[in-house]
Structure formats: C-alpha cells, structure tokens
Amino acid sequence: MRSRRKLRFRLVVSFALFGFGLSALFAFAALNIRSRVEEQLITTSLQDEVDHLNEQVIEHPDRAPSFDIVKAASWSDRTIYKAPLAWQTLDTGVHDIYEPGPDGRTHHYKLAVRRKDGVITFMQFDVSRDELGKQQLLFSVIGAVFVFGLLSLVLGLWLSRKVLKPVSELARRLRDFRKTGKAEPLAPNFADDEVGELALALDEYSQRLTAMVERDREFNSDVSHELRTPLAVISSTTELLQGSPDLTDKLRERLKRIERASRQATELIEALLLLSRAERRGPTRGETTDVAKVANDVIESQRPQMRDKPLGVELVVKQPVSVNAPASVLAVALTNLIGNAIKYTLEGMVTVEVQGDRIEVIDTGPGIKPEDAERLFQRGVRGEGAGGSGAGLGLAIVRRLCDLYGWDVSMRPRTDTNGAIASLKFS
C-alpha cells in the first residue's frame, strides 16, 4: 500500500524495531549473564564445601562432619563401595548428574567430588529447584521486552509526528498554491533548519520558474500577434484580388491556394498557442465542430500536393460526428494526418472515413512497421519512404493536441494490402 512507503511509516517502524531489538538483546544478555554467574557461584560453593568437608574427615575421622547440603557423604578408599555406583569412578571436581529425586522425577544435580589422603568426599546439590526461578525470570524478561517495544512504538509515533510536522506543512502549502494558482514565499513560515532550507530552495526555484513562464507567455503572445497581422493582410488582399473581373482562371486558382495557405497558417498559430498555454478551448457560444466539413476543407487544401501522381482522395461519411473543439485545432490535426498520407502514397487511393466516434485516414502507401507505429508520434522522428522529408514535428503536434483535448490518435499498418491507417478517436 502507498501508506507503507511514507516517510513517517518508515520512521515509526525503524524506531519500533530498534527499541524491540535493543530490549531483546538486553534480555538475552541478562539471561546469559545470570546463567553464567549462577553456574560459577554453585560450582565454587560446592568445591569449597566439599574441600572443607574432606578436611574435617581427615582431621577428625571419629567425628561427624558438619554441613548444610542436601546430601553429602565421605568414605575411605576401603569403603568406597558404599557410595552409589555412578559416583565411584568420578574424579575430583564438580560434575553434572541426572538422578531420580524424592518425588520420582529426574532431577539435575551438581555433584562435588574430592579425593585426598585416601578419603573420598561427595557433596550433592539439587539445582532443579532453581528452574522455577529461571522460568519466572524468563517470563518477566519477555514481558519487559514487549513493554519496551510498545513504548518504542508509541514514542516513534509521537516523534515522527513531531519531526515530520514541518514537512507536512510544507506539502500543504504547496498544494494550496496549486489550488489558488499563486505562489507565495515559503521560507518565512518555517524555522531556520533543514526544512527551512528546503523551503528557501523551493522559493528560489519558483521564482526562476515563474520568470521563465512569464517570458514564454509574453513571447507566445508577441509572436502570435506579430504573425497574425501579416496573415490577416494576406487573407484580405487575396480576397480583394479574387473579386477582380479581369483575373484568369489560373491566377484565380493560385490566389485560392494563397488563401488556403494563409488560413492554415492562422489555424496552426492558434493551435500552437493553445499548446504553449496548455489551454483547452472549445468553440464560441458552445457550438460544435462538424468533423466531415473540416475534413473536406483539409482535403481540398491538400490536393495541390498530389501534383501529377496517379492518386485519388475521397471522403466517406459513414456516420456524422461533431466535436467540442475549435475548427482550427481539428484542422491542424487532420492536415498532418491527411497530408502525410498524400505525401507518402505514390499511387492508389487515400480514403478519409468519418465514423461514429472517430475519423480514419487509409492510404495505399509503403506502410509502416508495427513496432514503429508509436515511435512516429515522437518529436523529431520521420517516416521512411517516398517524400520522407520534414522535421518530424507534425505527428508530435497532433499527439499533443490530442492529449490536450482527450482524444486518441494512433497509427497501424493495413492487413489487406500495403498502406497504413491513421485513426483519430474522439472521447
């Protein structure tokens, strides 16, 4: 889940695991030290006691020795057979033995043995009685580990909230900027620490970015204004010239080509301006654009590209469709799709089909490779084949316009014959 990847979650888990691990390590060390110290104390005590008992028997063989151990006995070499059989072969020292106890269960004993001057002394200590104490200590230590682990988790939650509060506040202010569309200085709202340094760096970056956007916006506005003025003059002049009665048919056709080129340039400028502002604009007064009409205008404007090629272009309207977008935007997209089909097709037919939710441009050109279909929409990538000239920007502009208006553009090879199919699907 996404929450598991949050910095706060990682801090809490790290702190809790550290506390739990440290407590467990301390508990293990305490139990180990306790076991070692207990073993050493019992061994030393038994060894000292058996030595003392052995000395009493040697000095006063006719006197009963005094001791406070559960079971002790001393024999000479001649009477060693009176000792338990398992003890008789043991050397001097402290040994671990397991024998049945008074309750019938096997007990763990420490047996101290001392052989000196023909006297053999045994001293037995039942260490099983300490098992209950060890279990109680073990349970207590385990409980302490879980308590300290829980405390570490609670402390980690509190510290993470405290430490990350400035970061959360910084993120909240950045989200507010996105809502209001206006960036305000961040650094004055934070302390002079790492978060404050981050806020200062964001302020500097925001200033540079704002200045760059403003320069870009002013440049686009200036270019749009400066280009539209001469295009408007060209359009009005050609319109006036077409009204002259002494024009020849050939000259009148050339004036129409100039008028179409001027209109295409105006539409392209408007589309590029929308792309530069990332602004989606619909037709004026809520009107829709007829796709078939725009497609027909684009086909007529592209006919001069056919020159003397044995190529035909037809428009097939299977089902009318309208889109909520300016005619200029749709014209720019269709001009690139239909223009490419005419450019790359040497002979045959280019068919423009208008369907219920899309328009498709079907040609009989050299076709494309399936693996190259998506790559053709990348900036600077040009198609291979006849007429493969240009900067490779047309289809990239189409893709950007489609992303802006929520359309889907694609290219695929034909399966029935040579050629390609460009599809523009409207959402």
Side-chain angles (χ1 to χ4, degrees):
M1 295 177 62
R2 183 181 178 185
S3 60
R4 295 185 178 180
R5 298 193 297 268
K6 289 186 177 180
L7 178 59
R8 180 182 175 187
F9 180 83
R10 295 199 295 267
L11 286 175
V12 171
V13 171
S14 300
F15 201 90
L17 290 178
F18 175 76
F20 182 82
L22 188 61
S23 302
L25 182 62
F26 177 78
F28 174 77
L31 290 174
N32 188 47
I33 292 173
R34 189 255 188 198
S35 178
R36 289 176 178 271
V37 170
E38 182 185 58
E39 180 77 15
Q40 184 177 1
L41 287 175
I42 292 176
T43 301
T44 303
S45 299
L46 285 175
Q47 189 66 59
D48 292 342
E49 189 67 18
V50 77
D51 289 344
H52 178 64
L53 182 61
N54 192 271
E55 291 293 337
Q56 291 184 67
V57 173
I58 293 174
E59 294 178 3
H60 306 283
D62 56 342
R63 184 187 305 175
S66 59
F67 52 88
D68 297 325
I69 305 301
V70 174
K71 185 178 180 181
S74 183
W75 294 276
S76 64
D77 289 339
R78 295 185 298 273
T79 59
I80 184 62
Y81 63 87
K82 296 181 180 180
L85 183 60
W87 297 9
Q88 296 177 13
T89 58
L90 296 177
D91 295 329
T92 297
V94 179
H95 305 273
D96 289 288
I97 63 173
Y98 296 88
E99 295 180 348
D103 56 0
R105 293 183 301 177
T106 301
H107 286 228
H108 178 202
Y109 295 97
K110 290 285 186 179
L111 181 64
V113 181
R114 181 64 176 175
R115 296 175 181 266
K116 184 177 181 181
D117 298 336
V119 177
I120 305 174
T121 303
F122 299 95
M123 185 171 293
Q124 187 186 61
F125 181 78
D126 187 0
V127 297
S128 298
R129 58 187 179 180
D130 292 335
E131 294 298 328
L132 180 60
K134 290 182 179 179
Q135 291 181 359
Q136 292 177 347
L137 178 62
L138 178 61
F139 293 151
S140 300
V141 169
I142 292 176
V145 169
F146 280 102
V147 169
F148 281 110
L150 182 60
L151 289 177
S152 301
L153 179 61
V154 174
L155 186 59
L157 288 171
W158 180 78
L159 285 178
S160 65
R161 186 181 296 109
K162 191 75 174 177
V163 171
L164 295 180
K165 184 177 180 181
V167 179
S168 301
E169 177 65 17
L170 178 61
R172 185 191 64 81
R173 289 183 177 274
L174 290 174
R175 286 192 295 267
D176 291 341
F177 294 165
R178 184 173 57 184
K179 294 178 182 178
T180 59
K182 181 180 179 181
E184 298 179 358
L186 295 170
N189 300 294
F190 297 93
D192 187 14
D193 53 10
E194 288 78 4
V195 179
E197 293 180 2
L198 177 60
L200 183 61
L202 288 174
D203 287 340
E204 295 175 352
Y205 179 76
S206 175
Q207 292 175 0
R208 295 196 302 269
L209 186 62
T210 301
M212 182 179 65
V213 171
E214 288 296 331
R215 290 195 301 269
D216 184 66
R217 184 177 300 171
E218 292 175 358
F219 172 79
N220 291 332
S221 299
D222 294 342
V223 169
S224 175
H225 177 269
E226 295 300 326
L227 289 179
R228 282 178 177 178
T229 300
L231 288 175
V233 172
I234 294 174
S235 178
S236 60
T237 303
T238 53
E239 184 178 356
L240 290 174
L241 289 175
Q242 290 181 32
S244 300
D246 55 346
L247 287 178
T248 62
D249 293 339
K250 187 174 183 180
L251 186 58
R252 192 181 304 276
E253 180 62 27
R254 290 178 177 176
L255 288 175
K256 288 183 179 180
R257 290 181 58 184
I258 295 175
E259 183 182 12
R260 286 195 297 266
S262 174
R263 185 174 66 253
Q264 290 177 4
T266 303
E267 292 171 348
L268 181 59
I269 290 173
E270 183 177 353
L272 293 178
L273 187 61
L274 291 176
L275 285 177
S276 66
R277 296 175 178 175
E279 176 185 349
R280 176 174 175 174
R281 183 170 62 84
T284 58
R285 288 186 295 233
E287 298 178 355
T288 58
T289 300
D290 186 1
V291 175
K293 181 179 182 304
V294 175
N296 184 69
D297 293 340
V298 170
I299 291 174
E300 294 301 321
S301 66
Q302 294 296 314
R303 288 191 183 276
Q305 292 191 38
M306 297 167 54
R307 299 182 179 90
D308 297 329
K309 293 192 297 184
L311 177 66
V313 181
E314 64 174 351
L315 175 64
V316 179
V317 181
K318 294 185 176 180
Q319 185 177 353
V321 59
S322 299
V323 295
N324 184 23
S328 58
V329 173
L330 183 60
V332 170
L334 293 181
T335 297
N336 281 282
L337 297 180
I338 297 175
N340 278 347
I342 294 176
K343 179 193 300 184
Y344 286 90
T345 304
L346 298 179
E347 60 181 357
M349 179 67 67
V350 174
T351 304
V352 181
E353 291 187 358
V354 179
Q355 303 177 12
D357 62 343
R358 71 188 64 195
I359 181 171
E360 291 187 341
V361 181
I362 307 170
D363 62 57
T364 57
I368 59 173
K369 299 178 181 178
E371 59 271 18
D372 294 338
E374 184 64 23
R375 195 172 63 89
L376 292 174
F377 292 96
Q378 297 178 6
R379 187 179 180 86
V381 176
R382 296 179 298 179
E384 300 177 358
S389 59
L393 300 179
L395 292 181
I397 293 175
V398 175
R399 170 59 61 83
R400 292 178 59 193
L401 287 174
C402 290
D403 292 341
L404 185 62
Y405 281 87
W407 300 340
D408 183 27
V409 62
S410 61
M411 189 85 67
R412 66 182 187 275
R414 294 184 62 173
T415 57
D416 53 345
T417 183
N418 291 337
I421 301 177
S423 177
L424 181 59
K425 183 179 179 181
F426 309 106
S427 58

